Amino acid sequence: MDRREKDQFYLVREDVLSEAMTKTLEAKTLLETGKVKTVNQAVQSVDLSRSAFYKYRDGIFPFQTMVKEKIISIAIHLDDRSGSLSELLTVIATLGCNILTIHQTIPLQGRANVTMSVEIASAREDINGIIKELDRLEYVRKVNIIGTGA
């Protein structure tokens, strides 16, 4: 395997990761937050072998750690309801995000697609938290991250 192949990254949903990989992430979080002081304490806390931890520790990262830019582009499928876009924008502002661009399609079949670029540098939540908050809104049908960048 050449260096180029080794340095490729993939975005993978958590439920398809192996148990050892998710436990490695948990152990790394314990170490980074200072809840434990040693690798041995971290792996014991999550019931993981030290060898599995060392195997995966440099190869698996939470999504928000890999996103160095603080701008994300998101696509949202929104019900065509009076005030839904306004409420969505209010929620985004309440989360501490800054909307840089926004585009809404003409509603068809009761739905509109909204695409926006959002600066998240001052957000109260990480990327996953922001997406979960938006997904909880009753008029939001789907939220997807479509890109990151500066």
Side-chain angles (χ1 to χ4, degrees), residues 27-143:
K28 286 175 67 169
T29 300
L30 290 173
L31 288 163
E32 290 166 4
T33 59
K35 292 183 179 176
V36 297
K37 297 199 183 305
T38 67
V39 169
N40 201 40
Q41 291 172 327
V43 296
Q44 285 178 350
S45 295
V46 298
D47 191 30
L48 178 70
S49 71
R50 286 172 53 91
S51 62
F53 176 81
Y54 286 114
K55 177 180 181 180
Y56 295 119
R57 75 171 178 176
D58 294 328
I60 188 161
F61 308 94
F63 178 69
Q64 62 270 16
T65 305
M66 294 303 295
V67 180
K68 297 194 178 9
E69 299 89 1
K70 294 298 181 180
I71 298 172
I72 60 172
S73 296
I74 53 178
I76 302 167
H77 299 271
L78 196 63
D79 285 345
D80 182 24
R81 248 183 33 193
S82 179
S84 60
L85 180 60
S86 178
E87 285 182 45
L88 175 70
L89 298 177
T90 300
V91 168
I92 291 171
T94 303
L95 289 169
C97 300
N98 182 31
I99 297 170
L100 303 173
T101 65
I102 184 168
H103 174 76
Q104 179 179 350
T105 62
I106 295 172
L108 296 172
Q109 299 176 352
R111 297 250 169 87
N113 293 316
V114 178
T115 306
M116 60 179 72
S117 297
V118 182
E119 181 186 21
I120 60 170
S122 301
R124 293 184 297 115
E125 298 278 344
D126 64 11
I127 292 172
N128 293 326
I130 293 167
I131 300 304
K132 284 180 185 175
E133 286 295 319
L134 297 178
D135 215 17
R136 286 186 191 144
L137 300 172
E138 68 179 74
Y139 46 83
V140 170
R141 293 296 148 232
K142 190 173 187 178
V143 180

